[in-house]
Amino acid sequence: MGNLRNHRVLLSAVGAFVVAGAGSGIAWSQAERGSEPADVLLDAVEHSESTMRDYIDEIARRFDEIEATSDARRQEELATALMKDVPALAEDARAEVLAAKGDAEAVSLPDGGELDRARDAYVAHIDAWIAEYDEAMVSPVGVVEIEPVVNRTFDEAVAAFDRTELDADQAERAERLLAD
């Protein structure tokens, strides 16, 4: 199992497809791009990755705060507060990721195409994260460890997206996000 702190680096890459150009807010709708299935799918991936990253960043920020405190009593208070808050943080992230999964699954794609396979691989990655959130809601202390399946499913999703034939704008968008 990987340590959450080490996983944060991977999540920079996991944000892979879409978090890079997010700026101060992420527009999940395709108002300015149209409803090209690949764009809608990338928006769902963006929503999911942004949520996953926010969750990891919050947990990591809280761990950093605990580590930066030299007073043992204060460290214990902060750790207790984190363990108390983890189930709600995980539940909120889970709800957002499930919404993104629904959006991804709702994209109309020809069965068996490269983009359909990329979506399936990404949905498997979402499912791996949902299992992480479920575990954190039941056992907050488990938030420190990330199951290897999360990394494996991400690698499979990235490889599947790499095999798709995106148009120039979509390919540039994915490339920018993967370079993170």
Side-chain angles (χ1 to χ4, degrees):
M1 286 196 214
N3 182 295
L4 176 65
R5 206 169 288 299
N6 295 333
H7 192 69
R8 208 171 20 174
V9 172
L10 173 65
L11 282 182
S12 293
V14 168
F17 285 98
V18 272
V19 178
S24 63
I26 298 172
W28 308 126
S29 76
Q30 282 297 76
E32 60 280 330
R33 288 192 54 109
S35 3
E36 184 72 31
D39 291 319
V40 176
L41 179 57
L42 288 172
D43 283 346
V45 171
E46 181 173 24
H47 182 183
S48 174
E49 291 298 327
S50 177
T51 300
M52 291 174 198
R53 179 176 289 186
D54 289 348
Y55 172 78
I56 291 295
D57 286 350
E58 176 63 18
I59 301 294
R61 183 191 66 73
R62 304 270 299 265
F63 274 120
D64 290 346
E65 183 180 10
I66 292 166
E67 289 177 352
T69 303
S70 58
D71 180 271
R73 187 177 191 171
R74 180 67 181 141
Q75 281 182 330
E76 187 175 327
E77 290 170 358
L78 291 170
T80 300
L82 174 59
M83 290 303 110
K84 180 181 163 271
D85 295 344
V86 162
L89 293 169
E91 186 174 7
D92 291 346
R94 182 182 187 280
E96 285 296 315
V97 171
L98 280 172
K101 178 183 176 181
D103 292 345
E105 291 177 325
V107 176
S108 179
L109 297 170
D111 285 341
E114 293 297 335
L115 199 54
D116 181 45
R117 287 194 284 275
R119 173 185 47 201
D120 291 348
Y122 191 76
V123 166
H125 178 60
I126 287 176
D127 289 340
W129 267 108
I130 290 169
E132 289 290 321
Y133 299 135
D134 289 344
E135 179 63 26
M137 288 166 23
V138 174
S139 175
V141 92
V143 77
V144 176
E145 300 291 328
I146 302 295
E147 292 294 328
V149 69
V150 171
N151 295 337
R152 180 183 50 76
T153 57
F154 175 71
D155 292 343
E156 291 169 0
V158 169
F161 271 97
D162 284 346
R163 289 188 294 271
T164 62
E165 293 182 20
L166 301 173
D167 72 25
D169 289 341
Q170 295 159 344
E172 182 179 306
R173 180 180 181 193
E175 185 178 315
R176 236 188 4 258
L177 297 167
L178 287 170
D180 227 2

